[in-house]
Amino acid sequence: MGLMVLMGCSADSELETSEMKTAAVEVVSYARWFDEAYGTNRAWAIPSGYTAYEGGDQPISIAFTQNNQTPQIGSFFKSGDKWRTNIETIPSGTSYLYGYIPELPAIRYSITDRDGANAAYNGGAIMTLQNVPTVMPNDLCVVIGAKHGYDKEHDGDNTDPRTNRLRQGDFSFTAAGSATGNYVFLLFDHLYAALRIRMRMHDDYAALRTIKLKSLQLGTMADASTTRQKTDITISLQTTDGSVSPITGITYAQPDTYPVIDGTGLEFWSDPAGTALTTDFQPFIGHFMPTGITKLILTSTYDVYDRKGNLIRLNCKATNTMALKDMLTDQTVTERGKRYTINMTIQPTYLYMLSEPDLDNPTVIIN
């Protein structure tokens, strides 16, 4: 490190003499680098712009890829308090990790490099997911960054904690070996959109009845066409410097071989015993294939009880059709990675002209 110092000297009373001679000088000084010492971080920090995966410890489908090698596809899964993998031998040297969460037995996963071969996984990959449920309870995401770590609180290399860190667009992973253990850090991005239903009971109705919500089902429509129960997804990924997303394209296909979603939709939340609703909003979240979707059709199933706990109505159903253009300004179709929040209230058919049938046949309204 070079350091140029321009030095000035103030007058000193002890040296005030007419015989004192001074000369102007320019001093250029150099000092040895400091040997850097980094304090140990006791808690690993999530990269900016990301948060912990909301679905909890879901299994992860993962492919260990190396150039000119057949990918090893397996999974990471939580067993007890430890993460494990069913890949018997993690490849030595540098691999490139591509995958998705949550892994489901029905989903068929395949992968190639960007040219449809196995030659250059260092440059990215093309992932294909087939037979994916169009509506899911958990957040379907794709890996957009991977990195090894030297313990559970440090990603990257231990030679210099500032370099080779987890970021989007870098999929490289170097195995530490079975003797020391392997720490894997992953970044994900959303493949689906999310629907957050916030449901409550009307204050006056709550004084008269108890509602226990048992299930929520979602159907989706693209204009006048009802979507199908399963979707095939192709994701194109390329390595980047981290300044842009590695996702260069996503296509969603619904072949005619997949059945159409019927009128009640696909279930994304359930509680057979029933969850008692209150006058405060309670959230219920589902996820759905987003491309071209203009309408959401929600079916709620619930039981009605009187204030003494007697079951009045079993398995009531209420269906609400929600057009995106009526709920949002300047948006007519849903988008990947967006979460749509709908507030809903359960109340009797005619709140201010109550009769017993009105109390026992409530409706769900959108606030």
Side-chain angles (χ1 to χ4, degrees), residues 35-282:
D35 290 329
E36 299 290 348
Y38 296 95
T40 300
N41 295 323
R42 295 301 179 185
W44 182 74
I46 297 175
S48 176
Y50 297 84
T51 186
Y53 180 75
E54 291 184 353
D57 296 326
Q58 297 293 321
I60 302 166
S61 185
I62 200 73
F64 281 80
T65 68
Q66 293 182 320
N67 293 344
N68 300 307
Q69 300 293 324
T70 300
Q72 294 193 43
I73 299 178
S75 60
F76 297 136
F77 58 92
K78 196 74 173 287
S79 178
D81 61 348
K82 295 184 180 298
W83 281 95
R84 304 183 185 278
T85 181
N86 56 8
I87 296 176
E88 293 185 3
T89 303
I90 295 177
S92 59
T94 298
S95 297
Y96 305 94
L97 271 55
Y98 301 98
Y100 71 93
I101 186 174
E103 181 184 57
L104 297 177
I107 297 178
R108 298 188 296 272
Y109 173 33
S110 59
I111 187 170
T112 69
D113 66 13
R114 289 179 58 82
D115 294 323
N118 291 325
Y121 285 107
N122 62 308
I126 297 176
M127 290 175 48
T128 301
L129 307 179
Q130 295 178 300
N131 204 47
V132 183
T134 298
V135 175
M136 301 177 63
N138 294 115
D139 187 11
L140 182 66
C141 293
V142 62
V143 171
I144 59 166
K147 188 57 59 185
H148 50 272
Y150 57 93
D151 62 32
K152 66 181 180 180
E153 294 180 344
H154 296 86
D155 58 322
D157 298 331
N158 60 1
T159 54
D160 186 342
R162 298 171 299 177
T163 62
N164 206 23
R165 301 290 301 277
L166 176 68
R167 62 168 176 80
Q168 68 172 358
D170 181 2
F171 299 89
S172 61
F173 171 88
T174 303
S178 58
T180 56
N182 288 284
Y183 296 90
V184 183
F185 293 79
L186 299 172
L187 288 180
F188 293 93
D189 198 357
H190 309 282
L191 291 175
Y192 273 16
L195 175 65
R196 178 169 57 188
I197 298 297
R198 300 176 71 242
M199 192 171 289
R200 66 182 288 270
M201 289 183 66
H202 191 282
D203 295 23
D204 294 335
Y205 188 42
L208 303 171
R209 292 289 186 263
T210 295
I211 297 293
K212 291 188 177 180
L213 186 66
K214 299 173 72 174
S215 74
L216 292 170
Q217 295 169 289
L218 180 64
T220 56
M221 295 185 67
D223 293 325
S225 300
T226 303
T227 49
R228 297 183 177 274
Q229 295 183 19
K230 298 294 180 66
T231 303
D232 295 342
I233 309 172
T234 302
I235 309 109
S236 297
L237 300 160
Q238 70 177 11
T239 57
T240 70
D241 62 3
S243 62
V244 295
S245 171
I247 299 175
T248 59
I250 302 177
T251 60
Y252 303 86
Q254 295 195 324
D256 294 343
T257 52
Y258 293 144
V260 173
I261 298 176
D262 63 23
T264 58
L266 299 176
E267 186 176 81
F268 66 86
W269 179 91
S270 70
D271 178 2
T275 295
L277 299 179
T278 69
T279 56
D280 294 325
F281 284 113
Q282 295 171 249

